Amino acid sequence: MAVSDEDIQRIAVLNPGDAGRRWLCRVRGLPGPWVAEDRVEAFWDAGDWEVFRARRARFGALRSPFVVDVVDVESTSVTLERWVTGAALMATARAPLDPKAAVRIGSQVATGLALIHQAGLRCQWLSPWDIVLSPLGVARVTAVAKAPIPARQGLVHRELDAPPGNPAWVSPEVLRSGHAVPASDVFALGAILYLTLAGEAPFAADTAIAQMMRTLSEEPAPLTQPGVPGPVNRLVLDMLSKEPAARPTARRVADTLAAECGGAVPVGLGSTVSDALEQLRSAVGAGDFALVAALLELRPELTREPTVRAYVV
């Protein structure tokens, strides 16, 4: 059920969004803090707003520990997503991560993308700023309902220039035409995976224009960092293929990466009930009840333990 704009209490300004101001909010009748963005799209027409709201409502039907919760709002121009506690991946990926940790993050994001694509949706502008690592070690895709379906003239340049404004994650087909497809999300994830494993973007350059030219004309160098499995190296290079049809699907990416890291379920849940209980308590304290529920669904054996069951209930 949609909430009205009157149900949203804006507490504090977070930062300018892609096309509007972002607020930390409370929402009447919904637990936990939320993030609202008051969107201003001067180049959209009425049909664009209708498509945008329908797309946002479809995101609201997704339930995954790897995709942020979205709530439909009766006001067409407001997006409302659950606040995710944790640091953006970009804050931790400027140096190479441990390969197993990087692969697990990629597996989680790819699992979320596969569900998004299965629902007939796409992220469109996925970047390391849009992946938040929660205290339980779960990577969650945020800002999923922010971009329109229609490709308007000037959209790509406006998006690329807007904060965080980095073309490093943008696929060749989007650079050429502004038209994003599900395979464009796979390219973006491939570039993000490359960053976490190599410590730099695959087409890094001194200027945005030079970066775009490298994306359009050059092939990425193979990953040479110690500990990167051969199948992961090949997979990342396939994800960065120039042609969308040559890239693997998000589901195949998720399955391949899960096989390399032992599964998308984070090791951070702990191997004992007491470890898991302590980490669940942290999530409950952060007000992220949707993540608690999703993680318990991933690890159903925990709900059979009386201590955990009594605490969560």
Side-chain angles (χ1 to χ4, degrees):
M1 180 177 178
V3 302
S4 69
D5 196 46
E6 290 72 25
D7 294 326
I8 302 172
Q9 179 188 0
R10 291 163 176 78
I11 303 170
V13 175
L14 291 173
N15 57 273
D18 290 317
R21 181 165 290 182
R22 291 169 62 84
W23 301 81
L24 183 66
C25 301
R26 295 190 186 95
V27 180
R28 185 183 302 134
L30 296 177
W34 296 82
V35 176
E37 181 172 349
D38 299 316
R39 299 192 60 84
V40 179
E41 298 285 359
F43 51 87
W44 285 10
D45 59 26
D48 291 335
W49 287 113
E50 291 175 6
V51 170
F52 174 71
R53 184 177 180 193
R55 183 170 182 267
R56 182 186 58 197
R58 291 171 69 189
F59 266 115
L62 289 177
R63 287 294 175 267
S64 168
F66 310 125
V67 181
V68 70
D69 294 336
V70 177
V71 172
D72 192 18
V73 184
E74 291 175 356
S75 169
T76 305
S77 61
V78 177
T79 61
L80 187 62
E81 298 181 348
R82 183 179 293 276
W83 169 265
V84 179
T85 303
L89 178 60
M90 193 65 184
T92 61
R94 297 186 184 278
L97 301 182
D98 173 77
K100 184 152 280 193
V103 169
R104 179 167 282 110
I105 289 170
S107 174
Q108 293 169 357
V109 175
T111 301
L113 286 181
L115 291 174
I116 290 171
H117 295 167
Q118 183 179 330
L121 297 162
R122 60 185 182 271
C123 288
Q124 293 189 244
W125 307 106
L126 183 66
S127 81
W129 295 104
D130 300 323
I131 299 170
V132 175
L133 305 180
S134 79
L136 286 181
V138 176
R140 184 176 283 186
V141 181
T142 66
V144 289
K146 66 180 181 178
I149 287 288
R152 296 293 185 199
Q153 184 168 359
L155 174 62
V156 174
H157 301 293
R158 185 188 63 77
E159 289 285 353
L160 292 179
D161 292 338
N166 193 327
W169 335 110
V170 182
S171 63
E173 65 273 11
V174 174
L175 291 176
R176 293 190 191 102
S177 68
H179 180 62
V181 294
S184 306
D185 290 340
V186 173
F187 182 95
L189 178 55
I192 293 166
L193 261 173
Y194 195 103
L195 172 73
T196 61
L197 292 166
E200 65 175 3
F203 305 104
D206 293 336
T207 66
I209 294 297
Q211 205 163 40
M212 287 188 259
M213 293 304 296
R214 290 196 65 197
T215 300
L216 291 169
S217 62
E218 297 183 21
E219 297 299 327
L223 294 161
T224 59
Q225 287 66 30
V228 178
V232 172
N233 193 347
R234 291 190 292 273
L235 178 71
V236 171
L237 295 180
D238 288 344
M239 294 169 72
L240 296 173
S241 296
K242 302 300 182 191
E243 295 302 322
R247 298 171 203 149
T249 63
R251 173 53 59 195
R252 186 159 80 84
V253 171
D255 291 344
T256 302
L257 295 178
E260 291 296 328
C261 68
V265 178
V267 175
L269 274 177
S271 57
T272 68
V273 172
S274 60
D275 289 340
L277 182 59
E278 196 60 37
Q279 289 157 330
L280 288 169
R281 182 180 290 113
S282 297
V284 172
D288 202 347
F289 301 109
L291 179 59
V292 171
L295 288 170
L296 288 174
E297 185 177 352
L298 284 172
R299 291 283 297 272
E301 68 273 16
L302 292 177
T303 63
R304 292 193 287 271
E305 295 289 342
T307 305
V308 175
R309 187 167 62 249
Y311 177 78
V312 173
V313 172

